[in-house]
Amino acid sequence: MNAPHPLPPIATRPEHFIGNRWVAPVTGATLPMIDPSDGERFADIAFGTAEDVDRAVQAARHARDGIWGRLAPADKGRLLAKLARAILDHADELALIEARDCGKPLKQARADVAACARYFEFYGGAPDKLHGATIPYPDGYTVLTWREPHGVTGHIIPWNYPLQIFGRSVGGALAAATPAS
């Protein structure tokens, strides 16, 4: 008989968060979450397919070309800082999930939560500082850079540091998002 796990059970929602709402995966399939420290299944998450990714990309384009992309840079920064605060407000819950999902010590998972929040704080300071620049050139010429969006980005999040890489990559993408020209 196995001893009780030192971490409490985790309630999960086997859905994707797309377009600012929870939606079931197209196939309805789930993926078991296995704690690598003991090999035990502790929850299920939504299993995404190409169709789910397409829905997410369309929602991201809609947000980029709509309300998020047109939001004043200072307001984007305030919202990213608010997200950092929400991460810290849920630090205990997030650390438990990170510890179970990655099989890492709870102390390290807590550090990962703090790092994730710090990335969003950092990127919260960036949106109103992202702009082009005038480049020195001979008299009679004006040369400048013009920043144009490349489009929606996809992020591969590794199994061993998901919170940190999420903060590092998604925070920057949200800070820089502007509507397509």
Side-chain angles (χ1 to χ4, degrees):
M1 180 172 174
N2 291 342
H5 198 283
L7 299 174
I10 296 168
T12 58
R13 185 176 194 152
E15 295 176 304
H16 300 295
F17 194 71
I18 298 174
N20 207 32
R21 62 189 175 91
W22 290 101
V23 295
V26 170
T27 65
T30 60
L31 182 67
M33 294 181 75
I34 307 295
D35 184 333
S37 71
D38 62 13
E40 295 293 320
R41 178 185 195 153
F42 66 92
D44 292 305
I45 59 173
F47 182 83
T49 63
E51 290 175 271
D52 294 301
V53 171
D54 288 344
R55 289 193 303 174
V57 168
Q58 289 303 320
R61 282 188 182 130
H62 179 74
R64 180 203 62 200
D65 294 338
I67 191 164
W68 185 260
R70 298 192 195 303
L71 198 60
D75 291 334
K76 278 184 196 169
R78 286 185 197 100
L79 288 171
L80 291 171
K82 188 175 179 179
L83 177 55
R85 181 74 251 159
I87 289 167
L88 292 174
D89 289 346
H90 294 274
D92 290 339
E93 177 185 4
L94 291 169
L96 287 173
I97 294 169
E98 185 84 346
R100 294 291 304 272
D101 186 39
C102 300
K104 63 177 62 175
L106 192 53
K107 181 178 180 179
Q108 179 61 50
R110 285 186 181 114
D112 292 349
V113 171
C116 181
R118 181 64 190 108
Y119 282 119
F120 281 102
E121 289 169 348
F122 174 82
Y123 286 119
D128 60 352
K129 293 158 193 75
L130 298 172
H131 45 76
T134 303
I135 301 170
Y137 214 72
D139 285 340
Y141 294 92
T142 302
V143 180
L144 53 93
T145 60
W146 187 273
R147 296 187 187 263
E148 292 191 24
H150 289 286
V152 170
T153 60
H155 301 258
I156 306 236
I157 307 296
W159 71 270
N160 57 342
Y161 281 92
L163 276 173
Q164 284 207 36
I165 302 304
F166 175 78
R168 185 182 306 169
S169 65
V170 173
L174 290 172
T178 57
S181 324

